[in-house]
Amino acid sequence: MDATQYLIVGSSHAAIEAVNAIRLHDAEGSLTLATKDSQLPYSPTVLPYVVSGRSSPDRAFLRDDNFFARQKVDFRRGCALSALDPQRKLARFADGSEIAFDKILLATGAAPVRPPIPGLDTVPCHVLRTLDDATGLRAASGRARRAVVLGGGLVGMHAAENLVEAGQVEVTIVEMNSQVMGGYFDATAAALIEKAFAAHGARLLTGHKVVAAAPAGQGAVLALDNGENLEADLLLVAVGVQPDLGYLNGSGVACQAGILVDDTMQTSAAGVWAAGDCAQARNFFTGTNTLNAILPAAAEQGRIAGMAMAGDSDLKPYRGGVPLNTYRFFGHHALSVGNGDAPPGAEVMTRLDEAQGRYLKAIFHEDCLRGIFAIDEFFDGGVMWELIRRRIDLSAMRERFFADPLAAGRELMSQHWR
Amino acid sequence: MGNACNTITFNAAQCDGCGLCMTACAETKGSARIQVLPAEDKTYALSLCRQCGDPHCVSTCPTGALTKDVDTGVIAWNGDKCVDCLLCTVGCSYAGISLDAQTRRVVKCDTCDGAPACAAACPTKALRYVTTARIYNEVRDWEDLFAPGLSGCQGCNTELLMRHTMRRVGPDSVLATPPGCVPGMGSVGFNGLAGTKVPVFHPLLTNTAAMLAGVKRQYNRLGREVTAIAIAGDGGAADVGFQSLSGAAERGEQMLFMVIDNEGYMNTGMQRSGCTPFGAWTSTTPVGPESRGKSQDAKNLPLIMMQHRCAYVATASTAYMEDFYDKLDRAIQAAKTGFAYLHVYSPCTTGWRFPADQNMEVARKAVETNFVLLWEYTPGQGLRFTHAPDNPLPVTAYLKVMGRFRHLSPEQISHIQNKIEENSAFVTSLAQSAAAQA
Ligand SMILES: Cc1cc2nc3c(=O)[nH]c(=O)nc-3n(C[C@H](O)[C@H](O)[C@H](O)COP(=O)(O)OP(=O)(O)OC[C@H]3O[C@@H](n4cnc5c(N)ncnc54)[C@H](O)[C@@H]3O)c2cc1C
């Protein structure tokens, strides 16, 4: 049986950052990286661009074999973890092989959720999480005439835009909530996004649910809660993600929606860490453990986990996840950093230029920035993230800050973390 | 081992916010990637990519469009791979990569491929492009000729000088280290083992240059090419050992005589030497009701050596390593045929009384105030300055960073300032007459 000091499972953002962090501290310790995918590392975030053709599938990789050689990593593709025994420090893979480890990092990400819609399992449908999904969807979008996207979140909207841009496809987005992108933007911002989609010919059905699905010809017919039937020769399901943790059955590692971790990304089991979309770590605002399935959080958690595994004394505990995202649609950009709810006592400032389609919103709470959101206005997202996490007092300069968050943010940065 | 990289540095104290760096950047790159920002108390701060060692823009890039080049240190942006998702702008907490309003793509500093327009345009030298990395990358590959773990005081720069110098001089050498901090740190070794990988000997304070001259002549007689090098302290060179030093220089013996000047007999308990400056506290020039530190001025040993018309004479400082290295190379060359003299100023953390992490800063302040002048001399070309501050700071900027001058009266300070003016006028006149003759 193979044995390794560090075993990392998964080959995406959290895993790569962990490799870097381990190697900064321990240049030699044996390190094995095993991933289910058969490809070099790539990011799920790049997939919409693979679908659109902007990124070619053979150039979408995050790192090449050189990276693993340089970092002295035994990189194994096509190795899906199927069971974990934290007591005996053994990992079993789908092909029956086993690897003994001293320390393991679970960085297996998340998988698309399949909503419990009667009949959905009987119709052909696409999801978007792997490179194979993306090339499959790209091929299908060339043939499709009537596409339906279930879910108006980031993934659904990206894919819907790809389909619209692909040409002769009639695209319908069905979103159960009253607005799209509810995780990151308020109704005003969402309206600007929805307007752009409508202008490009997409149909948006917000506030509606698909209640049943049935096969029809090569595609499907979907029944909506208002009685309408939608025909689809291409169906994309993008209603959210959730970690697929079957490999933890019987392991005793504590999980809820994701794997529960402390502020060093350690799980309830000694020698076992988890990071990225599969981990349920502290939320900056609530202090409780929540999923935060975004790329920057995966990278940060991976880095922390790697440092903890290698025993790096420079490790600073996780400050807690903050929701953030950037979103490009039809040439516009949208930025979202922080929490969109306004608790009692919060001050909300907004500025809308409907003609230009520009929008800015900031939420202040207890003298500090809580969230800042924009459509076609630019600020440094990383600076805003720091302002929030450092809880920097903005009470004296709120107006000035809101008037020009780019300049004010940089000024604050130079005073606080230079 | 990692690679050292050249870097753009910013000294806020020298920035007057003129903005010429931004204009230069915009002219070169189409839009400014550098920004000077007003900060507290009428000072300025910079927003510019720091080319981080552990870059978070790279870790948040989903396409592999951003890559850290480990050779140049620059984080490169590949516009063909970038999909304009802007996640890098969230990853960076230093506003080092941001959206360009015109192109609607991200832009970041690429150091203009090693010739940054901003630094070239900066009139106050607040922005500089520091290329000292070259030294580290070269030196790294040369053999270290000292035993690991020399026992210097914390923060002393002498170990750095010893190791750098001997790596550069190389293994075909004979080293003389007369009594002082250098053997005290272990050059001659401990417990019967030598502290170096080259022949080393421990002459008397009085006869270093004489002994080394004899050793070198014997090697010449045997037909072996070796560099004869002495690393001595200022006491051993300027006072006790001066007659043999002066004699060897006058005879043009083939050697490199390097003096590490910490302005006193620091190794034996911080007694004054001929190189101790006026007013300085030492254990033999105490501060009390009668004595107020040293009451005489230092002798200027490098100028005295220049008067011997040695093949090469230079002064150097560890705050200016590139300058030091240029001079070391020339001194090694000159020592093949004649007498080369290199005088390096070495702030003494213990004897001068400043915190152990301030050595380079003290060395730099000495140069910025003209307390120490950096120049070199050859008989053919005369004397020339190698690094002269445009606007020298008042000497108090130097005196206040250490304890040995803390007691000075205003009269003593103005004596020191006058001495600096006098000395710098004298050396300037030498440089001017050399330039006039060229
Ligand atoms: C279409 C799309 C668009 C997105 N856009 C954005 C965006 O704009 N901004 C943003 O912040 N985030 C975005 N995300 C989310 C972002 O991609 C993820 O948060 C991020 O990739 C999480 O990284 P990770 O390392 O935790 O896991 P993942 O990237 O999910 O990688 C998981 C890895 O584990 C491997 N694996 C899984 N199961 C096993 C197993 N049992 N055994 C071995 N290996 C296994 C997989 O093969 C993969 O290599 C997007 C996601 C998608 C799908």
Side-chain angles (χ1 to χ4, degrees):
Chain A
M1 189 191 6
D2 290 347
T4 186
Q5 211 168 323
Y6 305 100
L7 177 59
I8 297 178
V9 190
S11 58
S12 180
H13 294 286
I16 289 174
E17 283 308 298
V19 168
N20 286 336
I22 289 171
R23 281 298 178 236
L24 278 176
H25 194 70
D26 179 353
E28 297 298 334
S30 56
L31 202 170
T32 303
L33 191 140
T35 187
K36 181 166 82 177
D37 216 286
S38 58
Q39 308 280 355
L40 283 169
Y42 62 85
S43 173
T45 303
V46 81
L47 299 177
Y49 305 93
V50 172
V51 176
S52 72
R54 177 143 183 202
S55 299
S56 76
D58 54 334
R59 291 195 68 214
F61 299 114
L62 290 170
R63 300 289 185 276
D64 57 14
D65 280 316
N66 273 337
F67 168 79
F68 294 107
R70 219 176 42 239
Q71 296 285 40
K72 300 194 181 116
V73 176
D74 177 1
F75 175 45
R76 303 186 183 190
R77 317 182 197 188
C79 262
L81 181 66
S82 59
L84 178 68
D85 185 337
Q87 268 77 46
R88 292 170 53 222
K89 303 224 161 155
L90 275 184
R92 177 149 1 93
F93 293 87
D95 63 0
S97 65
E98 289 186 325
I99 299 181
F101 58 82
D102 292 341
K103 296 168 181 181
I104 189 170
L105 173 64
L106 304 170
T108 55
V113 171
R114 307 259 173 174
I117 298 171
L120 191 64
D121 51 351
T122 66
V123 303
C125 69
H126 290 266
V127 293
L128 187 53
R129 186 71 192 189
T130 66
L131 203 50
D132 288 344
D133 295 341
T135 46
L137 183 58
R138 176 166 170 75
S141 67
R143 296 187 298 264
R145 292 293 170 270
R146 270 204 290 278
V148 173
V149 176
L150 287 195
L154 196 65
V155 176
M157 296 300 274
H158 259 303
E161 181 175 342
N162 295 158
L163 292 165
V164 168
E165 298 284 31
Q168 344 71 341
V169 199
E170 211 176 82
V171 182
T172 308
I173 303 160
V174 185
E175 166 59 52
M176 164 175 107
N177 292 316
S178 59
Q179 64 162 88
V180 297
M181 309 280 288
Y184 295 103
F185 296 101
D186 70 2
T188 313
L192 292 173
I193 298 170
E194 289 164 10
K195 202 168 121 192
F197 272 80
H200 283 81
R203 181 174 176 219
L204 272 131
L205 292 173
T206 49
H208 287 291
K209 270 192 213 171
V210 171
V211 292
Q218 298 291 309
V221 59
L222 307 169
L224 291 180
D225 54 359
N226 63 358
E228 190 184 340
N229 279 338
L230 290 176
E231 274 178 47
D233 56 3
L234 189 160
L235 171 63
L236 176 75
V237 177
V239 298
V241 295
Q242 116 195 340
D244 185 356
L245 302 174
Y247 58 76
L248 286 182
N249 288 340
S251 69
V253 175
C255 316
Q256 288 169 358
I259 307 167
L260 291 169
V261 291
D262 67 12
D263 289 343
T264 66
M265 302 301 135
Q266 171 135 31
T267 68
S268 63
V272 183
W273 282 261
D277 283 8
C278 68
Q280 194 175 331
R282 175 206 292 277
N283 177 302
F284 177 82
F285 296 101
T286 62
T288 55
N289 284 44
T290 52
L291 293 176
N292 190 22
I294 53 171
L295 193 166
E300 186 180 24
Q301 293 176 6
R303 189 179 312 123
I304 289 176
M307 289 176 88
M309 291 166 78
D312 192 330
S313 57
D314 281 343
L315 172 71
K316 300 210 175 45
Y318 191 51
R319 288 185 277 175
V322 171
L324 9 117
N325 234 312
T326 57
Y327 172 55
R328 277 307 245 296
F329 59 101
F330 299 110
H332 304 278
H333 69 257
L335 305 173
S336 165
V337 181
N339 194 326
D341 328 323
E347 191 191 340
V348 181
M349 292 172 126
T350 58
R351 174 166 84 215
L352 174 66
D353 176 346
E354 212 145 358
Q356 296 291 318
R358 287 160 167 258
Y359 180 55
L360 182 69
K361 171 176 180 173
I363 303 176
F364 302 91
H365 183 53
E366 290 169 348
D367 301 332
C368 306
L369 184 66
R370 182 175 170 88
I372 179 160
F373 314 88
I375 308 263
D376 278 353
E377 297 234 24
F378 187 73
F379 47 73
D380 299 301
V383 170
M384 299 301 141
W385 190 10
E386 274 304 300
L387 286 176
I388 293 173
R389 291 199 290 187
R390 288 172 184 254
R391 297 196 163 88
I392 289 178
D393 187 340
L394 299 180
S395 51
M397 61 176 302
R398 229 174 255 178
E399 270 71 29
R400 196 153 69 80
F401 175 86
F402 189 71
D404 189 352
L406 183 72
R410 289 180 181 184
E411 186 184 323
L412 286 159
M413 159 189 90
S414 67
Q415 287 160 17
H416 291 277
W417 63 91
R418 282 271 123 181
Chain B
M1 208 192 281
N3 195 57
C5 300
N6 297 337
T7 185
I8 297 173
T9 59
F10 177 65
N11 181 350
Q14 276 167 272
C15 178
D16 63 6
C18 73
L20 286 176
C21 52
M22 297 194 273
T23 318
C25 183
E27 276 166 7
T28 317
K29 296 290 178 189
S31 64
R33 291 131 197 239
I34 183 169
Q35 263 211 308
V36 169
L37 313 158
E40 275 165 314
D41 305 330
K42 298 210 164 61
T43 60
Y44 294 90
L46 197 66
S47 122
L48 176 69
C49 171
R50 302 173 159 211
Q51 320 290 356
C52 295
D54 176 21
H56 291 192
C57 58
V58 174
S59 27
T60 47
C61 172
T63 66
L66 289 165
T67 45
K68 170 91 180 168
D69 182 327
V70 286
D71 293 323
T72 62
V74 173
I75 297 162
W77 175 73
N78 179 338
D80 290 338
K81 284 190 137 194
C82 174
V83 295
D84 304 325
C85 75
L86 299 181
L87 274 170
C88 52
T89 68
V90 178
C92 174
S93 16
Y94 299 102
I97 185 161
S98 66
L99 182 72
D100 179 65
Q102 259 94 55
T103 62
R104 318 257 310 146
R105 308 205 76 188
V106 290
V107 288
K108 70 176 290 300
C109 168
D110 60 3
T111 73
C112 299
D113 292 327
C118 55
C122 177
T124 63
K125 300 204 177 83
L127 279 170
R128 289 194 310 128
Y129 189 59
V130 177
T131 54
T132 353
R134 172 187 64 85
I135 293 172
Y136 173 83
N137 294 335
E138 282 172 18
V139 171
R140 177 185 58 179
D141 297 331
W142 300 332
E143 191 180 5
D144 189 338
L145 296 175
F146 283 97
L150 295 175
S151 56
C153 297
Q154 193 179 30
C156 176
N157 67 1
T158 302
E159 176 172 359
L160 176 148
L161 278 167
M162 291 161 68
R163 291 192 191 275
H164 274 260
T165 304
M166 287 311 293
R167 277 182 184 225
R168 189 51 161 158
V169 169
D172 288 328
S173 55
V174 176
L175 174 63
T177 58
C181 292
V182 173
M185 285 170 64
S187 67
V188 292
F190 299 104
N191 304 329
L193 294 171
T196 63
K197 296 186 195 166
V198 295
V200 60
F201 67 101
H202 191 45
L204 299 177
L205 270 177
T206 46
N207 64 9
T208 308
M211 276 185 80
L212 192 58
V215 170
K216 171 66 179 171
R217 284 185 185 206
Q218 175 62 6
Y219 273 113
N220 282 352
R221 202 165 286 145
L222 293 174
R224 258 195 83 179
E225 204 182 303
V226 297
T227 302
I229 172 167
I231 304 182
D234 53 289
D239 301 344
V240 205
F242 186 68
Q243 54 80 14
S244 71
L245 170 62
S246 174
E250 179 258 329
R251 293 192 304 277
E253 300 288 351
Q254 297 164 3
M255 70 174 71
L256 166 49
F257 202 100
M258 177 161 142
V259 169
I260 297 186
D261 180 5
N262 53 21
E263 302 181 347
Y265 292 84
M266 297 319 198
N267 178 51
T268 48
M270 298 168 282
Q271 295 86 359
R272 59 123 39 221
S273 79
C275 290
T276 304
F278 174 88
W281 171 92
T282 67
S283 59
T284 48
T285 55
V287 174
E290 297 296 325
S291 164
R292 305 298 298 163
K294 193 182 174 199
S295 51
Q296 303 86 7
D297 287 307
K299 66 170 99 166
N300 193 324
L301 189 56
L303 281 182
I304 296 169
M305 296 313 293
M306 188 198 79
Q307 293 296 340
H308 287 71
R309 299 189 61 75
C310 304
Y312 185 74
V313 180
T315 60
S317 160
T318 46
Y320 301 86
M321 284 300 276
E322 280 176 297
D323 181 68
F324 168 73
Y325 257 92
D326 288 346
K327 289 169 175 171
L328 182 59
D329 283 348
R330 271 172 236 146
I332 293 169
Q333 213 44 45
K336 291 187 194 304
T337 54
F339 195 93
Y341 179 83
L342 196 51
H343 192 100
V344 192
Y345 295 94
S346 174
C348 173
T349 38
T350 310
W352 297 10
R353 299 176 174 179
F354 59 82
D357 62 355
Q358 289 298 304
N359 200 307
M360 293 300 156
E361 207 36 54
V362 173
R364 184 171 299 121
K365 281 284 179 305
V367 173
E368 287 175 347
T369 55
N370 271 347
F371 192 90
V372 154
L373 303 175
L374 297 180
W375 51 262
E376 66 178 0
Y377 162 89
T378 61
Q381 277 154 4
L383 181 147
R384 80 177 182 95
F385 284 109
T386 58
H387 182 100
D390 294 335
N391 301 303
L393 301 172
V395 73
T396 44
Y398 174 61
L399 302 177
K400 73 178 181 206
V401 293
M402 65 199 103
R404 66 173 172 158
F405 291 119
R406 194 175 297 135
H407 57 278
L408 292 186
S409 66
E411 294 72 36
Q412 286 176 300
I413 292 174
S414 68
H415 175 98
I416 297 173
Q417 186 70 57
N418 291 340
K419 197 70 201 167
I420 288 178
E421 314 294 346
E422 181 192 314
N423 188 40
S424 125
F426 178 61
V427 180
T428 305
S429 73
L430 293 175
Q432 279 165 350
S433 72
Q437 274 159 35

